[in-house]
Amino acid sequence: LAIHLALGQHHSDAALLVGWTQPRQLDAPVRAVVTDLARPVGHALDRVLLREQRLRLTELPPGPAQA
């Protein structure tokens, strides 16, 4: 079962993929749990991407206006 991850600060075509070792009926409660799980996963991924972006910005050499 794949659920799209909605990110707040970044654009992504990411999805949370959940699988089982045995065949399983994808009924409404199972879909609801996976959908509820995707929200905090997307939030965590968004925060990681934001942190990486901030780290890259701090590693840039100073520009002409900053020198």
Side-chain angles (χ1 to χ4, degrees):
L1 178 60
I3 302 293
H4 175 71
L5 293 178
L7 304 180
Q9 299 292 324
H10 297 85
H11 173 71
S12 174
D13 292 327
L16 175 65
L17 181 63
V18 179
W20 292 265
T21 58
Q22 307 263 332
R24 181 174 183 97
Q25 183 70 21
L26 297 178
D27 54 5
V30 170
R31 291 179 186 269
V33 168
V34 174
T35 301
D36 287 346
L37 182 61
R39 191 173 303 116
V41 170
H43 181 72
L45 180 59
D46 196 45
R47 294 197 40 102
V48 167
L49 293 172
L50 183 59
R51 182 174 184 273
E52 286 180 353
Q53 182 182 34
R54 287 181 179 168
L55 288 174
R56 278 194 308 271
L57 289 175
T58 60
E59 293 172 354
L60 291 175
Q66 297 172 343

